[in-house]
Amino acid sequence: MADRDESQKKIEEYRACIDSLDEQIVDLLNKRAEQSLAIRELKPSAQMGLYDPRREEEILERLDTLNDGPMYGDDLREIYRTILKVMKEIRA
Amino acid sequence: MADRDESQKKIEEYRACIDSLDEQIVDLLNKRAEQSLAIRELKPSAQMGLYDPRREEEILERLDTLNDGPMYGDDLREIYRTILKVMKEIRA
């Protein structure tokens, strides 16, 4: 029982840490969305198409160099594919 | 032409900013994965099931209180559904 209580207490602590990480992640994702919106606005005058598959590939490839684990490259790419999809479709 | 060059230059600057944000996001996602793995390891001794839909719902609901935009709630939840899916399946 003491063991169970101890483990539950530790889980609560780790969850509080995750909550704090989520605050920072949400903040950074919104900052990233701001930059994406600013780029989208500039693309017509830069004579660039709205969708740039080469840039998307560049971002996905760069993830491997940034990744120190414990996530595997596949895990991170799965998350980033959703991030890039959302950023592409985001409403101003 | 000057206009086009100017816009392209600004886009490069915004992309450099996005690259720097991605470094921070990847780092935080890995920190989050570490916490998830630690929690998963404790769950048997805490006598908790490995999958906790209530905790997942709590995380998704909390996003709205953290979100200052420009992302919409739906955008953020779509990203987080993928994050939670990956974290759930992550290999130690």
Side-chain angles (χ1 to χ4, degrees):
Chain A
M1 184 66 111
D3 218 38
R4 192 191 71 178
D5 292 349
E6 186 60 30
S7 295
Q8 285 179 350
K9 206 180 131 223
K10 273 197 205 150
I11 286 177
E12 284 314 305
E13 284 167 18
Y14 290 141
R15 285 183 167 174
C17 179
I18 284 180
D19 286 346
S20 147
L21 290 167
D22 282 341
E23 281 176 42
Q24 300 170 64
I25 292 169
V26 168
D27 182 51
L28 291 170
L29 286 171
N30 271 318
K31 289 202 171 97
R32 197 186 195 289
E34 276 170 26
Q35 303 296 314
S36 289
L37 286 170
I39 288 172
R40 195 194 302 172
E41 210 164 298
L42 283 169
K43 277 187 168 175
S45 65
Q47 293 175 30
M48 289 163 74
L50 281 185
Y51 176 50
D52 184 349
R54 214 173 35 187
R55 168 66 178 161
E56 198 162 308
E57 201 43 53
E58 182 187 297
I59 292 169
L60 291 172
E61 276 173 17
R62 193 165 164 271
L63 292 175
D64 279 332
T65 69
L66 301 179
N67 185 18
D68 290 325
M71 276 191 298
Y72 284 76
D74 289 350
D75 301 325
L76 201 47
R77 271 191 296 277
E78 185 173 351
I79 292 172
Y80 258 80
R81 266 190 218 102
T82 305
I83 291 177
L84 295 179
K85 175 184 169 287
V86 166
M87 298 282 162
K88 211 162 57 192
E89 294 168 356
I90 202 171
R91 293 155 288 173
Chain B
M1 184 66 111
D3 217 36
R4 191 190 70 177
D5 292 348
E6 185 60 30
S7 295
Q8 285 179 349
K9 206 179 131 224
K10 274 196 204 152
I11 287 176
E12 284 313 306
E13 283 166 18
Y14 290 141
R15 284 183 167 175
C17 179
I18 284 179
D19 286 345
S20 147
L21 290 167
D22 282 341
E23 280 176 41
Q24 299 170 65
I25 292 169
V26 168
D27 182 51
L28 291 170
L29 287 171
N30 272 317
K31 290 203 170 98
R32 199 188 194 288
E34 276 169 26
Q35 303 296 315
S36 290
L37 286 169
I39 288 173
R40 196 195 300 172
E41 211 163 298
L42 283 168
K43 278 188 168 174
S45 65
Q47 294 174 30
M48 289 164 73
L50 281 183
Y51 175 51
D52 183 349
R54 214 174 36 187
R55 168 66 177 160
E56 197 162 309
E57 201 44 53
E58 182 188 297
I59 292 170
L60 291 173
E61 275 173 19
R62 194 165 163 269
L63 293 175
D64 279 331
T65 69
L66 301 179
N67 186 17
D68 291 326
M71 276 192 299
Y72 284 77
D74 289 350
D75 301 325
L76 201 47
R77 270 191 296 277
E78 186 172 351
I79 292 172
Y80 258 79
R81 265 191 220 101
T82 305
I83 291 177
L84 295 179
K85 174 184 170 288
V86 165
M87 297 285 160
K88 210 161 56 192
E89 295 168 356
I90 202 170
R91 293 155 288 175

mmCIF file of all heavy atoms in Angstrom, chain A residues 21-69:
data_model
loop_
_atom_site.group_PDB
_atom_site.id
_atom_site.type_symbol
_atom_site.label_atom_id
_atom_site.label_comp_id
_atom_site.label_asym_id
_atom_site.label_seq_id
_atom_site.Cartn_x
_atom_site.Cartn_y
_atom_site.Cartn_z
ATOM 1 N N LEU A 21 5.294 21.708 -19.043
ATOM 2 C CA LEU A 21 5.856 21.586 -20.399
ATOM 3 C C LEU A 21 4.802 21.942 -21.447
ATOM 4 O O LEU A 21 5.102 22.618 -22.439
ATOM 5 C CB LEU A 21 6.373 20.160 -20.631
ATOM 6 C CG LEU A 21 7.625 19.759 -19.848
ATOM 7 C CD1 LEU A 21 7.850 18.251 -19.917
ATOM 8 C CD2 LEU A 21 8.859 20.489 -20.375
ATOM 9 N N ASP A 22 3.556 21.519 -21.223
ATOM 10 C CA ASP A 22 2.496 21.811 -22.193
ATOM 11 C C ASP A 22 2.263 23.319 -22.322
ATOM 12 O O ASP A 22 2.001 23.817 -23.421
ATOM 13 C CB ASP A 22 1.202 21.091 -21.798
ATOM 14 C CG ASP A 22 1.245 19.610 -22.176
ATOM 15 O OD1 ASP A 22 2.080 19.235 -23.024
ATOM 16 O OD2 ASP A 22 0.436 18.827 -21.637
ATOM 17 N N GLU A 23 2.360 24.036 -21.213
ATOM 18 C CA GLU A 23 2.229 25.491 -21.291
ATOM 19 C C GLU A 23 3.257 26.084 -22.246
ATOM 20 O O GLU A 23 2.953 26.945 -23.059
ATOM 21 C CB GLU A 23 2.450 26.122 -19.906
ATOM 22 C CG GLU A 23 1.247 26.036 -18.995
ATOM 23 C CD GLU A 23 1.559 26.588 -17.610
ATOM 24 O OE1 GLU A 23 2.229 27.633 -17.515
ATOM 25 O OE2 GLU A 23 1.148 25.943 -16.639
ATOM 26 N N GLN A 24 4.501 25.592 -22.110
ATOM 27 C CA GLN A 24 5.577 26.111 -22.961
ATOM 28 C C GLN A 24 5.408 25.669 -24.412
ATOM 29 O O GLN A 24 5.656 26.445 -25.344
ATOM 30 C CB GLN A 24 6.937 25.629 -22.429
ATOM 31 C CG GLN A 24 7.228 26.095 -21.006
ATOM 32 C CD GLN A 24 8.464 25.397 -20.432
ATOM 33 O OE1 GLN A 24 9.567 25.575 -20.928
ATOM 34 N NE2 GLN A 24 8.278 24.584 -19.405
ATOM 35 N N ILE A 25 4.971 24.423 -24.600
ATOM 36 C CA ILE A 25 4.786 23.912 -25.971
ATOM 37 C C ILE A 25 3.681 24.699 -26.680
ATOM 38 O O ILE A 25 3.825 25.108 -27.827
ATOM 39 C CB ILE A 25 4.478 22.388 -25.950
ATOM 40 C CG1 ILE A 25 5.708 21.599 -25.484
ATOM 41 C CG2 ILE A 25 4.036 21.904 -27.328
ATOM 42 C CD1 ILE A 25 5.446 20.121 -25.170
ATOM 43 N N VAL A 26 2.568 24.929 -25.977
ATOM 44 C CA VAL A 26 1.453 25.682 -26.580
ATOM 45 C C VAL A 26 1.915 27.087 -26.959
ATOM 46 O O VAL A 26 1.610 27.595 -28.045
ATOM 47 C CB VAL A 26 0.249 25.731 -25.610
ATOM 48 C CG1 VAL A 26 -0.796 26.735 -26.090
ATOM 49 C CG2 VAL A 26 -0.380 24.350 -25.470
ATOM 50 N N ASP A 27 2.688 27.709 -26.082
ATOM 51 C CA ASP A 27 3.197 29.052 -26.355
ATOM 52 C C ASP A 27 4.076 29.063 -27.612
ATOM 53 O O ASP A 27 3.932 29.921 -28.491
ATOM 54 C CB ASP A 27 3.992 29.523 -25.125
ATOM 55 C CG ASP A 27 4.508 30.933 -25.292
ATOM 56 O OD1 ASP A 27 3.704 31.815 -25.635
ATOM 57 O OD2 ASP A 27 5.715 31.159 -25.107
ATOM 58 N N LEU A 28 4.975 28.090 -27.710
ATOM 59 C CA LEU A 28 5.872 28.027 -28.873
ATOM 60 C C LEU A 28 5.110 27.700 -30.156
ATOM 61 O O LEU A 28 5.432 28.222 -31.224
ATOM 62 C CB LEU A 28 6.977 26.986 -28.633
ATOM 63 C CG LEU A 28 8.008 27.355 -27.563
ATOM 64 C CD1 LEU A 28 8.890 26.154 -27.244
ATOM 65 C CD2 LEU A 28 8.882 28.525 -28.019
ATOM 66 N N LEU A 29 4.101 26.829 -30.054
ATOM 67 C CA LEU A 29 3.308 26.507 -31.244
ATOM 68 C C LEU A 29 2.566 27.753 -31.738
ATOM 69 O O LEU A 29 2.457 27.983 -32.944
ATOM 70 C CB LEU A 29 2.311 25.380 -30.939
ATOM 71 C CG LEU A 29 2.907 23.970 -30.797
ATOM 72 C CD1 LEU A 29 1.845 22.992 -30.284
ATOM 73 C CD2 LEU A 29 3.486 23.454 -32.120
ATOM 74 N N ASN A 30 2.072 28.571 -30.813
ATOM 75 C CA ASN A 30 1.405 29.803 -31.239
ATOM 76 C C ASN A 30 2.396 30.790 -31.855
ATOM 77 O O ASN A 30 2.061 31.472 -32.833
ATOM 78 C CB ASN A 30 0.656 30.442 -30.063
ATOM 79 C CG ASN A 30 -0.768 29.915 -29.945
ATOM 80 O OD1 ASN A 30 -1.467 29.763 -30.951
ATOM 81 N ND2 ASN A 30 -1.216 29.637 -28.735
ATOM 82 N N LYS A 31 3.600 30.862 -31.300
ATOM 83 C CA LYS A 31 4.625 31.732 -31.909
ATOM 84 C C LYS A 31 4.953 31.237 -33.319
ATOM 85 O O LYS A 31 5.152 32.020 -34.240
ATOM 86 C CB LYS A 31 5.899 31.727 -31.049
ATOM 87 C CG LYS A 31 5.737 32.470 -29.733
ATOM 88 C CD LYS A 31 7.105 32.901 -29.187
ATOM 89 C CE LYS A 31 6.969 33.838 -28.002
ATOM 90 N NZ LYS A 31 7.081 33.145 -26.701
ATOM 91 N N ARG A 32 5.023 29.904 -33.461
ATOM 92 C CA ARG A 32 5.294 29.331 -34.768
ATOM 93 C C ARG A 32 4.168 29.653 -35.750
ATOM 94 O O ARG A 32 4.396 29.960 -36.916
ATOM 95 C CB ARG A 32 5.439 27.809 -34.620
ATOM 96 C CG ARG A 32 6.113 27.148 -35.795
ATOM 97 C CD ARG A 32 6.097 25.632 -35.665
ATOM 98 N NE ARG A 32 7.024 24.994 -36.588
ATOM 99 C CZ ARG A 32 6.859 24.935 -37.891
ATOM 100 N NH1 ARG A 32 5.791 25.479 -38.455
ATOM 101 N NH2 ARG A 32 7.740 24.341 -38.669
ATOM 102 N N ALA A 33 2.927 29.598 -35.264
ATOM 103 C CA ALA A 33 1.769 29.915 -36.116
ATOM 104 C C ALA A 33 1.819 31.378 -36.572
ATOM 105 O O ALA A 33 1.494 31.691 -37.723
ATOM 106 C CB ALA A 33 0.471 29.621 -35.362
ATOM 107 N N GLU A 34 2.234 32.275 -35.686
ATOM 108 C CA GLU A 34 2.366 33.696 -36.064
ATOM 109 C C GLU A 34 3.335 33.869 -37.220
ATOM 110 O O GLU A 34 3.079 34.630 -38.159
ATOM 111 C CB GLU A 34 2.903 34.513 -34.870
ATOM 112 C CG GLU A 34 1.838 34.955 -33.895
ATOM 113 C CD GLU A 34 2.462 35.531 -32.617
ATOM 114 O OE1 GLU A 34 3.608 36.032 -32.661
ATOM 115 O OE2 GLU A 34 1.803 35.451 -31.569
ATOM 116 N N GLN A 35 4.472 33.181 -37.145
ATOM 117 C CA GLN A 35 5.467 33.273 -38.212
ATOM 118 C C GLN A 35 4.931 32.686 -39.512
ATOM 119 O O GLN A 35 5.167 33.230 -40.588
ATOM 120 C CB GLN A 35 6.758 32.519 -37.818
ATOM 121 C CG GLN A 35 7.400 32.978 -36.532
ATOM 122 C CD GLN A 35 7.893 34.416 -36.593
ATOM 123 O OE1 GLN A 35 8.523 34.817 -37.559
ATOM 124 N NE2 GLN A 35 7.581 35.198 -35.582
ATOM 125 N N SER A 36 4.198 31.571 -39.392
ATOM 126 C CA SER A 36 3.620 30.951 -40.590
ATOM 127 C C SER A 36 2.624 31.892 -41.266
ATOM 128 O O SER A 36 2.604 32.008 -42.494
ATOM 129 C CB SER A 36 2.881 29.655 -40.226
ATOM 130 O OG SER A 36 3.790 28.657 -39.872
ATOM 131 N N LEU A 37 1.817 32.558 -40.452
ATOM 132 C CA LEU A 37 0.832 33.494 -41.020
ATOM 133 C C LEU A 37 1.541 34.668 -41.696
ATOM 134 O O LEU A 37 1.124 35.121 -42.762
ATOM 135 C CB LEU A 37 -0.113 33.996 -39.924
ATOM 136 C CG LEU A 37 -1.157 32.993 -39.440
ATOM 137 C CD1 LEU A 37 -1.865 33.503 -38.188
ATOM 138 C CD2 LEU A 37 -2.198 32.708 -40.530
ATOM 139 N N ALA A 38 2.605 35.161 -41.076
ATOM 140 C CA ALA A 38 3.350 36.291 -41.655
ATOM 141 C C ALA A 38 3.977 35.876 -42.990
ATOM 142 O O ALA A 38 3.957 36.637 -43.962
ATOM 143 C CB ALA A 38 4.429 36.752 -40.674
ATOM 144 N N ILE A 39 4.506 34.651 -43.042
ATOM 145 C CA ILE A 39 5.096 34.157 -44.295
ATOM 146 C C ILE A 39 4.028 34.020 -45.370
ATOM 147 O O ILE A 39 4.216 34.433 -46.509
ATOM 148 C CB ILE A 39 5.805 32.795 -44.050
ATOM 149 C CG1 ILE A 39 7.082 33.011 -43.242
ATOM 150 C CG2 ILE A 39 6.115 32.093 -45.373
ATOM 151 C CD1 ILE A 39 7.773 31.730 -42.778
ATOM 152 N N ARG A 40 2.885 33.475 -44.997
ATOM 153 C CA ARG A 40 1.827 33.270 -45.980
ATOM 154 C C ARG A 40 1.404 34.604 -46.613
ATOM 155 O O ARG A 40 1.145 34.691 -47.807
ATOM 156 C CB ARG A 40 0.622 32.590 -45.333
ATOM 157 C CG ARG A 40 -0.324 32.034 -46.394
ATOM 158 C CD ARG A 40 -1.657 31.667 -45.832
ATOM 159 N NE ARG A 40 -1.519 30.674 -44.772
ATOM 160 C CZ ARG A 40 -2.521 30.289 -43.992
ATOM 161 N NH1 ARG A 40 -3.735 30.801 -44.173
ATOM 162 N NH2 ARG A 40 -2.328 29.403 -43.054
ATOM 163 N N GLU A 41 1.365 35.643 -45.770
ATOM 164 C CA GLU A 41 0.953 36.957 -46.258
ATOM 165 C C GLU A 41 1.962 37.519 -47.266
ATOM 166 O O GLU A 41 1.590 38.257 -48.173
ATOM 167 C CB GLU A 41 0.838 37.899 -45.052
ATOM 168 C CG GLU A 41 -0.195 38.995 -45.219
ATOM 169 C CD GLU A 41 -0.527 39.609 -43.862
ATOM 170 O OE1 GLU A 41 -1.043 38.855 -42.995
ATOM 171 O OE2 GLU A 41 -0.231 40.783 -43.666
ATOM 172 N N LEU A 42 3.235 37.178 -47.070
ATOM 173 C CA LEU A 42 4.287 37.726 -47.936
ATOM 174 C C LEU A 42 4.451 36.942 -49.236
ATOM 175 O O LEU A 42 5.077 37.432 -50.188
ATOM 176 C CB LEU A 42 5.626 37.705 -47.190
ATOM 177 C CG LEU A 42 5.838 38.797 -46.143
ATOM 178 C CD1 LEU A 42 7.066 38.475 -45.312
ATOM 179 C CD2 LEU A 42 5.994 40.164 -46.813
ATOM 180 N N LYS A 43 3.931 35.722 -49.278
ATOM 181 C CA LYS A 43 4.238 34.858 -50.426
ATOM 182 C C LYS A 43 3.801 35.423 -51.776
ATOM 183 O O LYS A 43 4.562 35.331 -52.745
ATOM 184 C CB LYS A 43 3.694 33.451 -50.182
ATOM 185 C CG LYS A 43 4.661 32.633 -49.326
ATOM 186 C CD LYS A 43 4.241 31.190 -49.205
ATOM 187 C CE LYS A 43 5.372 30.353 -48.597
ATOM 188 N NZ LYS A 43 4.946 28.964 -48.350
ATOM 189 N N PRO A 44 2.603 36.036 -51.880
ATOM 190 C CA PRO A 44 2.241 36.587 -53.194
ATOM 191 C C PRO A 44 3.253 37.632 -53.678
ATOM 192 O O PRO A 44 3.707 37.566 -54.825
ATOM 193 C CB PRO A 44 0.856 37.210 -52.948
ATOM 194 C CG PRO A 44 0.299 36.454 -51.786
ATOM 195 C CD PRO A 44 1.493 36.141 -50.922
ATOM 196 N N SER A 45 3.666 38.567 -52.798
ATOM 197 C CA SER A 45 4.604 39.600 -53.255
ATOM 198 C C SER A 45 6.011 39.026 -53.449
ATOM 199 O O SER A 45 6.828 39.587 -54.180
ATOM 200 C CB SER A 45 4.628 40.793 -52.294
ATOM 201 O OG SER A 45 5.139 40.401 -51.047
ATOM 202 N N ALA A 46 6.292 37.899 -52.811
ATOM 203 C CA ALA A 46 7.583 37.229 -53.032
ATOM 204 C C ALA A 46 7.522 36.327 -54.267
ATOM 205 O O ALA A 46 8.509 35.692 -54.619
ATOM 206 C CB ALA A 46 7.964 36.403 -51.807
ATOM 207 N N GLN A 47 6.344 36.299 -54.894
ATOM 208 C CA GLN A 47 6.098 35.438 -56.063
ATOM 209 C C GLN A 47 6.445 33.979 -55.763
ATOM 210 O O GLN A 47 7.082 33.291 -56.565
ATOM 211 C CB GLN A 47 6.861 35.972 -57.285
ATOM 212 C CG GLN A 47 6.318 37.317 -57.740
ATOM 213 C CD GLN A 47 7.119 37.950 -58.872
ATOM 214 O OE1 GLN A 47 7.711 37.248 -59.684
ATOM 215 N NE2 GLN A 47 7.144 39.277 -58.912
ATOM 216 N N MET A 48 6.010 33.545 -54.588
ATOM 217 C CA MET A 48 6.193 32.148 -54.198
ATOM 218 C C MET A 48 4.821 31.497 -54.053
ATOM 219 O O MET A 48 3.869 32.147 -53.627
ATOM 220 C CB MET A 48 6.942 32.061 -52.858
ATOM 221 C CG MET A 48 8.401 32.454 -52.951
ATOM 222 S SD MET A 48 9.099 32.803 -51.312
ATOM 223 C CE MET A 48 9.263 31.150 -50.639
ATOM 224 N N GLY A 49 4.737 30.216 -54.416
ATOM 225 C CA GLY A 49 3.482 29.490 -54.231
ATOM 226 C C GLY A 49 3.180 29.317 -52.752
ATOM 227 O O GLY A 49 4.092 29.329 -51.928
ATOM 228 N N LEU A 50 1.891 29.188 -52.418
ATOM 229 C CA LEU A 50 1.517 29.085 -51.005
ATOM 230 C C LEU A 50 2.034 27.798 -50.382
ATOM 231 O O LEU A 50 2.370 27.757 -49.212
ATOM 232 C CB LEU A 50 -0.004 29.171 -50.841
ATOM 233 C CG LEU A 50 -0.586 30.591 -50.905
ATOM 234 C CD1 LEU A 50 -2.071 30.567 -50.615
ATOM 235 C CD2 LEU A 50 0.126 31.524 -49.927
ATOM 236 N N TYR A 51 2.112 26.730 -51.179
ATOM 237 C CA TYR A 51 2.584 25.462 -50.639
ATOM 238 C C TYR A 51 3.968 25.151 -51.199
ATOM 239 O O TYR A 51 4.184 25.196 -52.415
ATOM 240 C CB TYR A 51 1.589 24.341 -50.967
ATOM 241 C CG TYR A 51 2.064 22.985 -50.517
ATOM 242 C CD1 TYR A 51 2.520 22.781 -49.220
ATOM 243 C CD2 TYR A 51 2.063 21.904 -51.397
ATOM 244 C CE1 TYR A 51 2.969 21.545 -48.815
ATOM 245 C CE2 TYR A 51 2.505 20.661 -50.993
ATOM 246 C CZ TYR A 51 2.954 20.491 -49.699
ATOM 247 O OH TYR A 51 3.412 19.253 -49.301
ATOM 248 N N ASP A 52 4.901 24.866 -50.314
ATOM 249 C CA ASP A 52 6.297 24.676 -50.703
ATOM 250 C C ASP A 52 6.772 23.325 -50.165
ATOM 251 O O ASP A 52 7.284 23.222 -49.057
ATOM 252 C CB ASP A 52 7.127 25.827 -50.106
ATOM 253 C CG ASP A 52 8.587 25.766 -50.528
ATOM 254 O OD1 ASP A 52 9.004 24.728 -51.098
ATOM 255 O OD2 ASP A 52 9.310 26.740 -50.277
ATOM 256 N N PRO A 53 6.560 22.246 -50.959
ATOM 257 C CA PRO A 53 6.896 20.909 -50.448
ATOM 258 C C PRO A 53 8.382 20.762 -50.106
ATOM 259 O O PRO A 53 8.739 19.978 -49.238
ATOM 260 C CB PRO A 53 6.502 19.968 -51.596
ATOM 261 C CG PRO A 53 6.348 20.830 -52.801
ATOM 262 C CD PRO A 53 6.043 22.203 -52.328
ATOM 263 N N ARG A 54 9.247 21.556 -50.760
ATOM 264 C CA ARG A 54 10.681 21.448 -50.482
ATOM 265 C C ARG A 54 11.000 21.956 -49.077
ATOM 266 O O ARG A 54 11.795 21.367 -48.352
ATOM 267 C CB ARG A 54 11.481 22.244 -51.513
ATOM 268 C CG ARG A 54 12.815 21.618 -51.852
ATOM 269 C CD ARG A 54 13.473 22.357 -52.990
ATOM 270 N NE ARG A 54 13.167 23.798 -52.885
ATOM 271 C CZ ARG A 54 13.492 24.706 -53.809
ATOM 272 N NH1 ARG A 54 14.094 24.328 -54.902
ATOM 273 N NH2 ARG A 54 13.191 25.984 -53.645
ATOM 274 N N ARG A 55 10.354 23.055 -48.706
ATOM 275 C CA ARG A 55 10.546 23.600 -47.345
ATOM 276 C C ARG A 55 10.027 22.602 -46.300
ATOM 277 O O ARG A 55 10.642 22.389 -45.271
ATOM 278 C CB ARG A 55 9.819 24.950 -47.231
ATOM 279 C CG ARG A 55 9.670 25.506 -45.830
ATOM 280 C CD ARG A 55 10.982 25.880 -45.160
ATOM 281 N NE ARG A 55 10.756 26.454 -43.836
ATOM 282 C CZ ARG A 55 11.674 26.536 -42.884
ATOM 283 N NH1 ARG A 55 12.907 26.099 -43.096
ATOM 284 N NH2 ARG A 55 11.385 27.058 -41.725
ATOM 285 N N GLU A 56 8.883 21.982 -46.624
ATOM 286 C CA GLU A 56 8.309 21.008 -45.692
ATOM 287 C C GLU A 56 9.271 19.828 -45.497
ATOM 288 O O GLU A 56 9.507 19.379 -44.373
ATOM 289 C CB GLU A 56 6.956 20.529 -46.236
ATOM 290 C CG GLU A 56 6.109 19.889 -45.180
ATOM 291 C CD GLU A 56 4.638 19.789 -45.559
ATOM 292 O OE1 GLU A 56 4.042 20.814 -45.953
ATOM 293 O OE2 GLU A 56 4.086 18.678 -45.457
ATOM 294 N N GLU A 57 9.843 19.371 -46.593
ATOM 295 C CA GLU A 57 10.804 18.260 -46.528
ATOM 296 C C GLU A 57 12.038 18.662 -45.711
ATOM 297 O O GLU A 57 12.554 17.876 -44.919
ATOM 298 C CB GLU A 57 11.198 17.870 -47.966
ATOM 299 C CG GLU A 57 11.753 16.469 -48.111
ATOM 300 C CD GLU A 57 10.978 15.419 -47.311
ATOM 301 O OE1 GLU A 57 9.733 15.320 -47.458
ATOM 302 O OE2 GLU A 57 11.614 14.722 -46.508
ATOM 303 N N GLU A 58 12.468 19.904 -45.911
ATOM 304 C CA GLU A 58 13.638 20.439 -45.190
ATOM 305 C C GLU A 58 13.390 20.418 -43.677
ATOM 306 O O GLU A 58 14.253 20.015 -42.897
ATOM 307 C CB GLU A 58 13.880 21.874 -45.672
ATOM 308 C CG GLU A 58 15.070 22.590 -45.080
ATOM 309 C CD GLU A 58 15.083 24.074 -45.513
ATOM 310 O OE1 GLU A 58 15.203 24.333 -46.730
ATOM 311 O OE2 GLU A 58 14.927 24.956 -44.634
ATOM 312 N N ILE A 59 12.181 20.839 -43.286
ATOM 313 C CA ILE A 59 11.827 20.862 -41.853
ATOM 314 C C ILE A 59 11.837 19.444 -41.292
ATOM 315 O O ILE A 59 12.399 19.177 -40.227
ATOM 316 C CB ILE A 59 10.450 21.534 -41.642
ATOM 317 C CG1 ILE A 59 10.536 23.028 -41.961
ATOM 318 C CG2 ILE A 59 9.942 21.310 -40.209
ATOM 319 C CD1 ILE A 59 9.191 23.734 -42.033
ATOM 320 N N LEU A 60 11.213 18.510 -42.028
ATOM 321 C CA LEU A 60 11.131 17.124 -41.536
ATOM 322 C C LEU A 60 12.526 16.490 -41.443
ATOM 323 O O LEU A 60 12.826 15.778 -40.475
ATOM 324 C CB LEU A 60 10.226 16.288 -42.442
ATOM 325 C CG LEU A 60 8.722 16.642 -42.381
ATOM 326 C CD1 LEU A 60 7.936 15.888 -43.450
ATOM 327 C CD2 LEU A 60 8.132 16.359 -40.998
ATOM 328 N N GLU A 61 13.374 16.770 -42.431
ATOM 329 C CA GLU A 61 14.726 16.188 -42.403
ATOM 330 C C GLU A 61 15.555 16.764 -41.254
ATOM 331 O O GLU A 61 16.366 16.067 -40.655
ATOM 332 C CB GLU A 61 15.448 16.424 -43.730
ATOM 333 C CG GLU A 61 15.085 15.383 -44.775
ATOM 334 C CD GLU A 61 15.655 15.716 -46.143
ATOM 335 O OE1 GLU A 61 16.578 16.552 -46.231
ATOM 336 O OE2 GLU A 61 15.147 15.142 -47.129
ATOM 337 N N ARG A 62 15.352 18.046 -40.985
ATOM 338 C CA ARG A 62 16.123 18.718 -39.937
ATOM 339 C C ARG A 62 15.814 18.139 -38.543
ATOM 340 O O ARG A 62 16.637 18.207 -37.636
ATOM 341 C CB ARG A 62 15.800 20.209 -39.976
ATOM 342 C CG ARG A 62 16.740 21.068 -39.182
ATOM 343 C CD ARG A 62 16.591 22.533 -39.540
ATOM 344 N NE ARG A 62 17.206 23.352 -38.514
ATOM 345 C CZ ARG A 62 16.579 23.801 -37.437
ATOM 346 N NH1 ARG A 62 15.316 23.537 -37.263
ATOM 347 N NH2 ARG A 62 17.231 24.522 -36.540
ATOM 348 N N LEU A 63 14.611 17.575 -38.400
ATOM 349 C CA LEU A 63 14.211 17.043 -37.087
ATOM 350 C C LEU A 63 15.219 16.029 -36.558
ATOM 351 O O LEU A 63 15.513 15.993 -35.363
ATOM 352 C CB LEU A 63 12.832 16.380 -37.183
ATOM 353 C CG LEU A 63 11.634 17.301 -37.455
ATOM 354 C CD1 LEU A 63 10.374 16.471 -37.632
ATOM 355 C CD2 LEU A 63 11.456 18.331 -36.354
ATOM 356 N N ASP A 64 15.741 15.201 -37.461
ATOM 357 C CA ASP A 64 16.691 14.168 -37.022
ATOM 358 C C ASP A 64 17.922 14.777 -36.365
ATOM 359 O O ASP A 64 18.465 14.220 -35.412
ATOM 360 C CB ASP A 64 17.120 13.301 -38.213
ATOM 361 C CG ASP A 64 16.074 12.237 -38.516
ATOM 362 O OD1 ASP A 64 15.360 11.831 -37.567
ATOM 363 O OD2 ASP A 64 15.959 11.827 -39.670
ATOM 364 N N THR A 65 18.374 15.914 -36.893
ATOM 365 C CA THR A 65 19.577 16.543 -36.328
ATOM 366 C C THR A 65 19.264 17.194 -34.983
ATOM 367 O O THR A 65 20.164 17.429 -34.183
ATOM 368 C CB THR A 65 20.158 17.613 -37.277
ATOM 369 O OG1 THR A 65 19.257 18.725 -37.328
ATOM 370 C CG2 THR A 65 20.341 17.066 -38.686
ATOM 371 N N LEU A 66 17.977 17.519 -34.735
ATOM 372 C CA LEU A 66 17.596 18.182 -33.483
ATOM 373 C C LEU A 66 17.246 17.189 -32.383
ATOM 374 O O LEU A 66 17.166 17.534 -31.210
ATOM 375 C CB LEU A 66 16.366 19.079 -33.702
ATOM 376 C CG LEU A 66 16.463 20.196 -34.736
ATOM 377 C CD1 LEU A 66 15.148 20.940 -34.812
ATOM 378 C CD2 LEU A 66 17.597 21.151 -34.379
ATOM 379 N N ASN A 67 17.035 15.934 -32.792
ATOM 380 C CA ASN A 67 16.420 14.965 -31.881
ATOM 381 C C ASN A 67 17.445 14.223 -31.014
ATOM 382 O O ASN A 67 18.199 13.392 -31.511
ATOM 383 C CB ASN A 67 15.606 13.961 -32.699
ATOM 384 C CG ASN A 67 14.840 13.012 -31.824
ATOM 385 O OD1 ASN A 67 14.639 13.274 -30.631
ATOM 386 N ND2 ASN A 67 14.400 11.904 -32.402
ATOM 387 N N ASP A 68 17.435 14.518 -29.728
ATOM 388 C CA ASP A 68 18.321 13.821 -28.786
ATOM 389 C C ASP A 68 17.610 12.669 -28.070
ATOM 390 O O ASP A 68 18.178 12.074 -27.155
ATOM 391 C CB ASP A 68 18.827 14.799 -27.713
ATOM 392 C CG ASP A 68 19.804 15.806 -28.304
ATOM 393 O OD1 ASP A 68 20.563 15.426 -29.214
ATOM 394 O OD2 ASP A 68 19.807 16.963 -27.855
ATOM 395 N N GLY A 69 16.379 12.369 -28.454
ATOM 396 C CA GLY A 69 15.623 11.301 -27.815
ATOM 397 C C GLY A 69 15.032 11.735 -26.481
ATOM 398 O O GLY A 69 15.297 12.858 -26.043
#
